[in-house]
């Protein structure tokens, strides 16, 4: 029985076997990918060069855009290549690398979204101390933790993937290397990898989602104490895009990683994966547009029953 090191390459399954649809999918996903790159990279550059955008929430938003670009670039180029090429293979080392960055970037995005929720709680519920508490040093420390933690945990998970045994079947029922389809075709050490995948996904989603839920619960409590209906509307509209991104990102990943990797679940997860590797990374520029519109129409930070009309606190 060959082990994982005896496998030199895997065969990836295309999104469709029809030649006409493959060309159509290639054009569509190429446009989507270019939109992701241009939108998110453009936003990162704009945030970096615009003095009026040197605030904690834009600092975190730029990192979220950076992770989304990296996340999409880890999957989409190989998917586009396989749509048109005769061979649909990915090397053994390339598969491991893709798994490593996929898990790492998912974990990083989990906790960046949690940090952004905490930042919004501080801005809305504690506007008078927001500028001093969310200094540049604090923001750098907050954003460093997701990167260090995500890439460290991903290394451990990838080593467990390395321990999987295969018995000749090297066709992955997916358009990129991911844990569920790899576990599904493995014939040894799959049970350990399956349990650790579910446990790690559960722990990290629970921790990060708890921060999000607690932050937004406190925001809702604060908003309900406002005297102005217009003030409540402004707060909810400002947080709406962030909550939408959180719901879709957590929902799709929970759908994929909190189920046993059967043939049916892997097939369904393949369709869901198209959504969170293409649609979700496109939401950040939309989030930026919503925020910029709110700023231009007068940015308000709310506290009790009074409006504090002010510029966003800067980090330096």
């Amino acid at each position: 029985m060959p082990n994982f090191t005896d496998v030199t390459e895997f065969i990836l399954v295309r999104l469709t076997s029809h030649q006409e649809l493959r060309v159509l999918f290639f054009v569509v996903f190429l446009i989507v990918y270019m939109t992701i790159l241009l939108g998110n990279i453009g936003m990162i550059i704009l945030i970096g060069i615009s003095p009026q955008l040197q605030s904690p929430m834009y600092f975190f938003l730029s990192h979220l855009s950076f992770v989304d670009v990296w996340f999409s670039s880890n999957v989409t180029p190989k998917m586009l290549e396989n749509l048109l090429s005769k061979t649909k293979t990915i090397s053994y080392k390339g598969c491991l690398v893709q798994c490593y960055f996929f898990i790492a970037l998912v974990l990083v995005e989990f906790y960046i979204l949690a940090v952004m929720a905490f930042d919004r709680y501080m801005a809305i519920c504690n506007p008078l101390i927001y500028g001093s508490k969310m200094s540049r040093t604090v923001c750098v420390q907050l954003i460093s933790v997701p990167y260090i933690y995500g890439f460290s945990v991903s290394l451990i998970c990838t080593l467990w993937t390395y321990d999987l045994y295969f018995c000749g079947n090297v066709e992955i029922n997916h358009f990129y290397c991911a844990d569920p389809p790899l576990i599904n075709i493995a014939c040894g050490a799959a049970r350990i990898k399956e349990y650790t995948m579910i446990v790690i996904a559960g722990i990290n989603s629970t921790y990060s989602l708890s921060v999000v839920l607690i932050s937004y619960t406190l925001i809702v409590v604060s908003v309900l104490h406002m005297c102005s209906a217009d003030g409540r509307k402004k707060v909810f509209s400002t947080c709406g895009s962030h909550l939408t991104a959180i719901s879709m990102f957590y929902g799709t990943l929970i759908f994929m990683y909190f189920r046993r990797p059967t043939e049916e679940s892997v097939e369904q997860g393949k369709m869901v994966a198209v959504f969170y590797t293409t649609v979700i990374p496109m939401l950040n520029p939309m989030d930026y547009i919503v925020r910029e519109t709110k700023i231009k129409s007068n940015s308000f930070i709310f506290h009790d029953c009074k409006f504090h009309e002010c510029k966003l606190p800067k980090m330096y």
Side-chain angles (χ1 to χ4, degrees):
M1 181 181 63
N3 60 25
F4 193 78
T5 55
D6 294 325
V7 178
T8 59
E9 62 183 16
F10 290 100
I11 300 173
L12 298 172
V13 175
R14 296 189 180 105
L15 291 175
T16 179
S17 59
H18 299 286
Q19 179 64 33
E20 299 80 7
L21 289 179
R22 292 211 304 266
V23 175
L24 176 62
F25 282 179
F26 177 85
V27 174
V28 170
F29 285 116
L30 178 61
I31 294 173
V32 170
Y33 181 55
M34 295 306 297
T35 303
I36 292 171
L37 292 181
L38 294 175
N40 286 285
I41 293 176
M43 185 168 63
I44 294 171
I45 294 173
L46 185 60
I47 292 174
I49 64 176
S50 300
Q52 66 270 28
L53 300 182
Q54 301 304 306
S55 64
M57 67 177 182
Y58 282 102
F59 175 75
F60 297 132
L61 191 59
S62 66
H63 279 273
L64 186 63
S65 294
F66 171 73
V67 171
D68 278 339
V69 169
W70 199 352
F71 184 72
S72 184
S73 298
N74 183 48
V75 173
T76 309
K78 189 63 179 177
M79 178 184 70
L80 293 174
E81 177 190 338
N82 287 340
L83 280 172
L84 297 183
S85 65
K86 293 182 178 180
T87 60
K88 305 172 294 180
T89 60
I90 183 171
S91 68
Y92 151 66
K93 292 181 180 178
C95 185
L96 276 184
V97 169
Q98 197 172 60
C99 283
Y100 172 71
F101 281 109
F102 181 86
I103 297 171
L105 294 171
V106 165
L107 292 176
V108 171
E109 186 147 349
F110 264 162
Y111 289 103
I112 288 182
L113 289 171
V115 169
M116 291 179 69
F118 173 75
D119 171 67
R120 296 182 190 203
Y121 155 73
M122 289 294 294
I124 294 171
C125 300
N126 300 282
L128 301 181
I129 62 173
Y130 178 59
S132 60
K133 293 296 183 180
M134 298 296 290
S135 64
R136 182 171 183 80
T137 301
V138 172
C139 290
V140 170
Q141 292 172 346
L142 285 174
I143 205 64
S144 298
V145 173
Y147 285 104
I148 296 172
Y149 175 79
F151 281 92
S152 299
V153 172
S154 180
L155 179 60
I156 299 173
C157 295
T158 306
L159 291 176
W160 280 324
T161 303
Y162 177 83
D163 288 334
L164 290 174
Y165 290 87
F166 299 91
C167 302
N169 182 15
V170 293
E171 183 176 76
I172 301 174
N173 187 20
H174 218 297
F175 56 90
Y176 66 88
C177 283
D179 281 345
L182 283 173
I183 293 172
N184 194 46
I185 65 173
C187 60
R191 189 61 60 87
I192 296 175
K193 175 61 181 177
E194 178 185 335
Y195 287 155
T196 54
M197 178 190 73
I198 295 174
V199 169
I200 289 176
I203 291 174
N204 287 284
S205 59
T206 300
Y207 283 168
S208 56
L209 194 57
S210 296
V211 175
V212 172
L213 292 176
I214 292 172
S215 298
Y216 274 103
T217 299
L218 295 174
I219 288 173
V220 170
V221 171
S222 179
V223 169
L224 292 177
H225 284 85
M226 291 180 182
C227 298
S228 170
D230 184 56
R232 290 193 291 269
K233 183 179 178 181
K234 284 180 180 288
V235 172
F236 286 129
S237 63
T238 302
C239 297
S241 55
H242 182 233
L243 286 172
T244 301
I246 288 174
S247 300
M248 288 191 294
F249 187 74
Y250 279 82
T252 52
L253 288 172
I254 288 174
F255 178 82
M256 183 171 179
Y257 285 92
F258 274 71
R259 301 185 302 165
R260 294 197 63 183
T262 62
E263 192 68 34
E264 181 183 1
S265 66
V266 168
E267 187 65 31
Q268 294 172 347
K270 186 167 59 176
M271 297 299 102
V272 174
V274 175
F275 184 78
Y276 66 70
T277 56
T278 56
V279 177
I280 292 178
M282 293 178 63
L283 291 179
N284 271 337
M286 296 170 60
D287 187 27
Y288 166 74
I289 292 172
V290 172
R291 287 176 169 277
E292 186 66 11
T293 302
K294 296 300 177 183
I295 291 174
K296 289 182 178 179
S297 62
N298 284 328
S299 295
F300 287 88
I301 295 179
F302 309 96
H303 187 61
D304 296 330
C305 294
K306 296 181 180 179
F307 288 92
H308 298 277
E309 185 174 359
C310 59
K311 293 182 178 179
L312 293 169
K314 296 185 177 181
M315 293 186 291
Y316 44 80

